[in-house]
Amino acid sequence: MALIVQKYGGSSVADAASVQRVAARVVATKQAGNDVCVVVSAMGDTTDELIDLATQITADPPRREMDILLTAGERISMSLLAMAIDALGVEARSFTGQQAGVITDAAYGRARIIDVTPSRISETLAEGHVAIVAGFQGVNTEANDVTTLGRGGSDTTAVALAAALGADVCEIFSDVDGVFTADPRIVPAARKLAKISYDAVLEIAASGAKVLIPRCVEYARRFDVPVHVRSSFSQMDGTMVTKEDPMEEPIIAGVAHDSSQAKVTLLDVPDVPGKAARIFEVVAEAGVNIDMIVQNVSATGTGKTDVSFTLPAVNGTEATSALEQVHAEIGYSRIQYDDSIGKLSLVGAGMKSHPGVSARLFGALSDAGINIEMISTSEIRLSVVTRAQDLAAAVRAVHTAFDLDSDQDEAVVYGGTGR
């Protein structure tokens, strides 16, 4: 008998028929002789609809009250799924994040899990029942307040529960059949990967791929939780995410893209020690995460340089406003803000031992007539920034150049979001 944690995203439980389909899948897993714990997201677009309702009331809703509001979506999903499973003759019990023992810090809207004490879940499983847990939420025990985990919170809930329960596998169900070499919506010829390492999928996720969230993968890697990425709309085997096997890791795992970033450039920054440090201190104090950084060589005779960096476009206002407040201190001439960029990332553990990867990437983009604006590298990732309108063509060109195209119709998107 195996202990399996399954997570179903919003597209998988979007309506009553979908909930019943998921219930049948859960029951089949249980009747195959497994203990089953299920984590569910809110149905369809419920979370977005609740956010819209709140903003109709006030433009600046209190974060504590927003967390209380947003946890309602998962509570609806968990109770309906428990009813559907019960209707199929298998007893199921639903639990909020707090009841399941998901303990977080007090950062409303973006809380992090600090502990999981799943005693009630373990008792339910020991009694032979299916346990259903509301994803995306927990409780801060100091204030006894409900908290939400932010984007990808249900994935993180599932992996954290799997680690705490000692599960044999955590199955993450979405609307695609696994992890592909590129987004199937952009590259119909994308190929499904049978397996991938934590490190490689973490780079892919951090580079914009939506199948898994980086902190979910980080949690899985830390506690060595095998993750099986599958579709709830098919019975196909998906992609296993585990420790790296050097003998089987491909040279290139895939091509990821991100169209949600923007670029900030500070022009004519004095090229003296401490200026770059101060720029990024200000950005950090504004609570903004940055990605790629480029500083040009100072122009001859001027002692001035340009500093560019990328960041999530949603944080553009915070970053530029913070930098404008220290205009005189830093001494730049002006700020340029550009939200019409896209980032392409080539990921693969084999890159570190195979020369010529960079030349091949740049050659593919050159042949496609696509200009590169910024470049960033890590041990297993090579990222470039292009114009936003060129991003899809860039992904397809690079995917083909590295022989990643499949000759079979593997890439099927059953829903619409990839989650």
Side-chain angles (χ1 to χ4, degrees), residues 280 283 288-293 309-312:
F280 295 110
V283 174
V288 176
N289 290 320
I290 61 173
D291 184 13
M292 304 168 69
I293 302 172
F309 60 90
T310 61
L311 74 170

Side-chain angles (χ1 to χ4, degrees), residues 4 116 122 270 292:
I4 299 174
V116 181
S122 297
M292 304 168 69

Side-chain angles (χ1 to χ4, degrees), residues 280-399:
F280 295 110
E281 284 174 359
V282 170
V283 174
E285 289 166 1
V288 176
N289 290 320
I290 61 173
D291 184 13
M292 304 168 69
I293 302 172
V294 171
Q295 178 175 328
N296 298 326
V297 176
S298 59
T300 303
T302 68
K304 304 279 187 175
T305 186
D306 298 336
V307 178
S308 298
F309 60 90
T310 61
L311 74 170
V314 294
N315 298 133
T317 300
E318 292 96 321
T320 53
S321 296
L323 289 167
E324 285 168 356
Q325 293 175 19
V326 293
H327 186 176
E329 177 187 348
I330 294 176
Y332 62 85
S333 63
R334 62 190 177 94
I335 295 179
Q336 288 182 343
Y337 180 75
D338 182 3
D339 59 2
S340 297
I341 65 167
K343 183 179 76 171
L344 177 151
S345 298
L346 189 66
V347 178
M351 291 172 59
K352 54 192 173 186
S353 58
H354 286 75
V357 172
S358 300
R360 194 170 179 182
L361 169 66
F362 300 148
L365 295 175
S366 175
D367 291 344
I370 296 169
N371 189 47
I372 298 171
E373 299 184 11
M374 299 176 73
I375 301 169
S376 174
T377 64
S378 74
E379 189 175 37
I380 64 170
R381 174 185 53 80
L382 176 58
S383 297
V384 298
V385 166
T386 71
R387 289 288 87 199
Q389 65 266 24
D390 295 332
L391 185 58
V395 172
R396 288 190 286 268
V398 172
H399 195 270

Side-chain angles (χ1 to χ4, degrees), residues 186-208:
I186 301 296
V187 185
R191 176 163 41 87
K192 187 182 70 176
L193 300 170
K195 61 178 63 177
I196 189 171
S197 70
Y198 294 125
D199 288 345
V201 81
L202 184 58
E203 290 281 8
I204 289 174
S207 300

Side-chain angles (χ1 to χ4, degrees), residues 192-253:
K192 187 182 70 176
L193 300 170
K195 61 178 63 177
I196 189 171
S197 70
Y198 294 125
D199 288 345
V201 81
L202 184 58
E203 290 281 8
I204 289 174
S207 300
K210 296 181 176 63
V211 174
L212 286 173
I213 298 300
R215 64 176 176 163
C216 159
V217 182
E218 289 169 353
Y219 211 108
R221 180 175 63 178
R222 187 188 320 157
F223 294 99
D224 195 18
V225 176
V227 176
H228 190 188
V229 183
R230 310 180 65 184
S231 171
S232 62
F233 297 86
S234 79
Q235 297 296 326
M236 292 179 61
D237 286 336
T239 302
M240 287 299 304
V241 184
T242 58
K243 286 182 178 178
E244 178 180 346
D245 183 346
M247 299 300 294
E248 298 185 12
E249 193 74 9
I251 298 175
I252 301 300

Side-chain angles (χ1 to χ4, degrees), residues 7-28:
K7 176 265 176 178
Y8 293 92
S11 61
S12 298
V13 291
D15 50 34
S18 299
V19 171
Q20 290 172 321
R21 182 178 62 248
V22 167
R25 187 161 202 148
V26 172
V27 168

